[in-house]
Amino acid sequence: MVTDSWQKQLIYTNKIFDNLSDEELMEEVAPGRNRAIYLLGHLTAVHDRMLPLLRFEEAKYPELKPIFLDSPDKAVEAIPSARELRQQWHDVNETLANHIKNLPAEDWFTRHANISEEDFIKEPHRNRLNVLLDRTNHLSNHRGQLLLLKKKI
Amino acid sequence: MVTDSWQKQLIYTNKIFDNLSDEELMEEVAPGRNRAIYLLGHLTAVHDRMLPLLRFEEAKYPELKPIFLDSPDKAVEAIPSARELRQQWHDVNETLANHIKNLPAEDWFTRHANISEEDFIKEPHRNRLNVLLDRTNHLSNHRGQLLLLKKKI
C-alpha cells in the first residue's frame, strides 16, 4: 500500500511535468519562488539519493546535488537542460521502481543506510519503509506547488 | 509509522497556519489561486469527513462541505471567520487523533465506510489505512502551497 501510494504520486507528478513545455518549466510556481525546472532537478536529486539510502545502489546523478539540493534556485547559473533533466527524472524513478518491486515485504522493515546497525536496534522505525513514506510526502508537497502552474481555463 | 507520518504532516502544517495572522490568511498562495483561509476550510472539511469515512463518528462540521469542498474559493461570499475555522481545524484533528490512537493495529486493514462488505472482499486494499495514506498526501500537497506564503527574509 505504501509503495502504491508512492507510485500514484509519481504518476500524478509526471502528468504535470509532461504537460509543461520546456519554456513553461522556466516559470516560477509563484512570484519569487522556485521555477518548475528547479523542482524537477530537486526531485530528481532527492529520488536519486534514495537509491543508496534504501541500500539499492549508488546514486546515478550525484552532480545534481550541489545544484538542486545544496543551492537554492537561481544560485547556480549553468544547470542541465530541461531535456536532460526529464530523461534523468524518468531514469531515476524507473530504477527505483525496479528495486521497490523486487524488495521482499519484510525487508522494508530493515534499516536504511543512514543509521548504523547498533542504533537501529534502539530506533527500529528508522527503516526503509519510513524513507519511502517521507519521500512520498516530500513529493506531494512539491506537486502541490507545481499544480499552481496548471493553466486556468 | 503511517499514523506518525500523518501526525508529523499535521504538526508541520499547524506551524504554517499558526504563523499566519488572520490578515495573512486572506492572501492567495499564488496570484489568482486559493487563499490560505480557503485551504484552512478545505483541509478542515476533508479531515472532518474522515471521521465517518474511517467509521469513527459523524462529521462534526458538515456545513463546511458546500463552501470548501463543493465550491471553489471565492464562489461563496459568506464564509466562517478565521477564528472559527482555526478552532474547528484543531477540534477535528484532535478528535481524529484520539480515534487514531485508540484503533487497534489490525483494524486499519478493515474496510472504510465508502465500500460495502461484499466489494471489500474483492478489493481489500480499500481499507482504513489507505484512507490515512491518501489524506496524508493530500495534506502535504496543500502544505507545499501554503509554504509559498512564508515570508522571504
Side-chain angles (χ1 to χ4, degrees):
Chain A
M1 271 163 49
V2 175
T3 60
D4 280 355
S5 161
W6 163 257
Q7 294 297 350
K8 212 164 72 177
Q9 291 303 317
L10 270 180
I11 290 169
Y12 294 156
T13 309
N14 278 331
K15 219 172 270 180
I16 308 178
F17 280 134
D18 291 348
N19 278 326
L20 292 175
S21 67
D22 289 357
E23 290 73 42
E24 286 168 334
L25 270 187
M26 304 310 282
E27 289 176 25
E28 296 171 335
V29 297
R33 299 298 176 169
N34 290 331
R35 292 172 299 172
I37 195 166
Y38 179 83
L39 290 179
L40 175 60
H42 175 70
L43 287 169
T44 307
V46 168
H47 292 193
D48 191 37
R49 290 167 63 80
M50 287 170 71
L51 289 170
L53 187 56
L54 290 170
R55 301 195 279 123
F56 290 150
E57 60 179 90
E58 288 302 295
K60 301 183 87 169
Y61 305 105
E63 68 276 15
L64 299 178
K65 182 174 180 284
I67 312 177
F68 297 107
L69 277 181
D70 303 339
S71 315
D73 190 17
K74 294 151 215 157
V76 179
E77 227 167 294
I79 65 168
S81 70
R83 195 187 153 157
E84 209 172 340
L85 284 174
R86 287 183 199 271
Q87 180 268 319
Q88 294 174 341
W89 166 247
H90 286 291
D91 181 35
V92 163
N93 289 326
E94 210 186 298
T95 308
L96 267 174
N98 279 328
H99 285 291
I100 286 172
K101 204 175 58 196
N102 292 321
L103 194 70
E106 62 271 23
D107 286 12
W108 284 105
F109 298 95
T110 59
R111 71 179 178 88
H112 62 64
N114 281 357
I115 180 166
S116 68
E117 298 197 25
E118 299 78 60
D119 289 343
F120 184 62
I121 297 169
K122 287 169 272 167
E123 303 175 80
H125 64 280
R126 296 178 63 183
N127 54 37
R128 289 148 131 182
L129 193 63
N130 218 19
V131 169
L132 197 63
L133 274 172
D134 184 82
R135 295 307 186 272
T136 305
N137 283 325
H138 176 259
L139 176 59
S140 304
N141 195 307
H142 288 304
R143 187 175 74 86
Q145 299 173 338
L146 289 164
L147 271 176
L148 300 173
L149 285 175
K150 219 168 89 178
K151 288 292 159 281
K152 281 160 269 190
I153 309 154
Chain B
M1 268 162 53
V2 176
T3 60
D4 279 356
S5 162
W6 163 258
Q7 295 296 351
K8 210 164 74 176
Q9 290 303 317
L10 271 181
I11 290 169
Y12 293 157
T13 309
N14 278 331
K15 220 173 269 181
I16 307 177
F17 280 134
D18 291 348
N19 278 327
L20 292 174
S21 67
D22 290 357
E23 291 71 44
E24 287 168 334
L25 270 187
M26 303 311 281
E27 289 176 25
E28 296 171 333
V29 298
R33 299 297 177 170
N34 291 329
R35 292 171 298 171
I37 195 166
Y38 178 84
L39 290 179
L40 175 59
H42 174 71
L43 288 169
T44 307
V46 168
H47 292 193
D48 191 37
R49 290 166 65 79
M50 288 171 70
L51 289 171
L53 187 57
L54 290 170
R55 302 197 277 122
F56 289 151
E57 61 177 272
E58 289 303 296
K60 302 183 87 168
Y61 305 105
E63 69 275 15
L64 298 177
K65 181 174 181 284
I67 312 177
F68 297 108
L69 277 181
D70 303 337
S71 316
D73 190 17
K74 293 154 215 154
V76 179
E77 226 166 295
I79 65 167
S81 68
R83 195 188 153 156
E84 208 171 342
L85 284 173
R86 287 184 199 269
Q87 181 268 318
Q88 293 174 343
W89 166 247
H90 286 293
D91 181 35
V92 163
N93 290 326
E94 211 187 299
T95 308
L96 268 174
N98 278 327
H99 285 292
I100 287 171
K101 205 176 57 194
N102 292 321
L103 194 71
E106 63 271 24
D107 285 11
W108 284 105
F109 298 95
T110 60
R111 70 179 178 87
H112 62 63
N114 281 357
I115 182 166
S116 69
E117 296 197 24
E118 299 77 59
D119 290 344
F120 184 63
I121 296 168
K122 289 168 270 169
E123 302 174 82
H125 64 280
R126 296 178 62 185
N127 54 37
R128 289 149 131 181
L129 193 64
N130 219 18
V131 170
L132 196 64
L133 274 172
D134 184 83
R135 296 308 185 272
T136 305
N137 283 325
H138 175 260
L139 176 60
S140 303
N141 195 306
H142 289 303
R143 186 174 75 85
Q145 299 173 337
L146 288 165
L147 270 176
L148 300 173
L149 286 176
K150 221 168 88 177
K151 291 292 160 282
K152 283 160 267 188
I153 310 155

